[in-house]
Amino acid sequence: MKPRPHHYLLGAALSLLAVGATAQTTELNDLKSQMDALQKGQQAIQKDLVEIRKLLSQQRQPAKPSNQVPANTVLSLQGRPTKGAPGAQLVVIEFLDYQ
């Protein structure tokens, strides 16, 4: 049987299909490995988040209220600008730090 031109075309088409299928298989395997790497990274991030939450929950423990009454404090305001009666029993002091 003598080869005809359409046999060559059919052979070329089958060869292209085989090469294309191999390329697709390689591409799919690459995508699967990339997805596996992303999933492992995501699991590592989730573990880190769990650890961070544990650390934050330990730090959030409420401070114990102090039963100690603050001692009277005496500040000298002599020579400083003031308003009001000099003999007042309660004085409000405002401290500003302009930097």
Side-chain angles (χ1 to χ4, degrees):
M1 182 174 180
K2 191 175 184 185
R4 296 185 184 165
H6 66 280
H7 289 147
Y8 292 117
L9 288 175
L10 183 59
L14 289 175
S15 296
L16 287 174
L17 284 175
V19 169
T22 304
Q24 285 180 347
T25 302
T26 304
E27 201 172 300
L28 284 175
N29 288 338
D30 289 344
L31 286 173
K32 286 179 184 178
S33 66
Q34 288 175 3
M35 281 182 47
D36 289 340
L38 287 172
Q39 286 176 342
K40 287 179 183 176
Q42 187 179 14
Q43 289 172 352
I45 290 171
Q46 286 176 340
K47 285 181 183 179
D48 290 343
L49 283 175
V50 168
E51 288 181 34
I52 290 170
R53 286 181 182 144
K54 285 180 184 178
L55 291 172
L56 287 175
S57 68
Q58 291 172 357
Q59 290 179 351
R60 287 188 191 159
Q61 293 175 354
K64 295 179 182 175
S66 175
N67 293 333
Q68 186 178 9
V69 177
N72 291 337
T73 304
V74 179
L75 296 175
S76 173
L77 298 177
Q78 198 169 19
R80 303 285 181 206
T82 59
K83 281 186 177 182
Q89 292 184 359
L90 175 67
V91 178
V92 177
I93 300 175
E94 181 178 3
F95 175 79
L96 300 175
D97 188 10
Y98 296 107
Q99 287 187 11

